[in-house]
Amino acid sequence: MFIILLRFSENRAQVADHMDGHRDWLKQGFDEGVFLLAGSLKQAQGGGILAQAGSREEIAARVQADPFVAADVVTAEILELDPARADDRLSFLMK
């Protein structure tokens, strides 16, 4: 499982130019069952995604395809999480 942090960079002013492509990229990730959760970071810092994929390389390639990343609107940090416990409401993530 992966936590992807997308933090705004110096090119933040270009968000509007790439928003439609970013939304399409997110939709594709959800449609393909890779993205589990996505949202904005508080205080307008960027966004975050919870993802499940076969490998870190797969996630890294997907992240590089995000128009925000490609245009340096955000910088991406990929954290790999090895879940050991989950609340019953999230038990499906333990598979």
Side-chain angles (χ1 to χ4, degrees):
M1 183 163 306
F2 300 89
I3 300 168
I4 304 163
L5 299 175
L6 303 172
R7 293 197 173 105
F8 286 123
S9 71
E10 294 176 9
N11 294 329
R12 175 186 192 150
Q14 296 178 14
V15 165
D17 297 338
H18 303 283
M19 183 58 81
D20 288 342
H22 176 71
R23 285 186 180 138
D24 290 344
W25 174 80
L26 282 169
K27 181 181 182 318
Q28 180 180 1
F30 279 105
D31 288 349
E32 294 175 358
V34 175
F35 295 163
L36 303 172
L37 177 81
S40 298
L41 297 175
K42 295 290 185 174
Q43 301 173 346
Q45 295 181 55
I49 301 167
L50 181 62
Q52 194 162 17
S55 70
R56 183 178 186 83
E57 292 78 19
E58 179 185 339
I59 286 293
R62 185 176 292 273
V63 167
Q64 290 304 310
D66 178 0
F68 277 1
V69 173
D72 195 29
V73 171
V74 298
T75 58
E77 180 180 4
I78 301 170
L79 305 170
E80 192 165 359
L81 179 68
D82 186 13
R85 271 181 88 170
D87 181 277
D88 288 342
R89 294 170 291 178
L90 298 176
S91 61
F92 68 95
L93 294 174
M94 299 301 294
K95 296 177 183 179

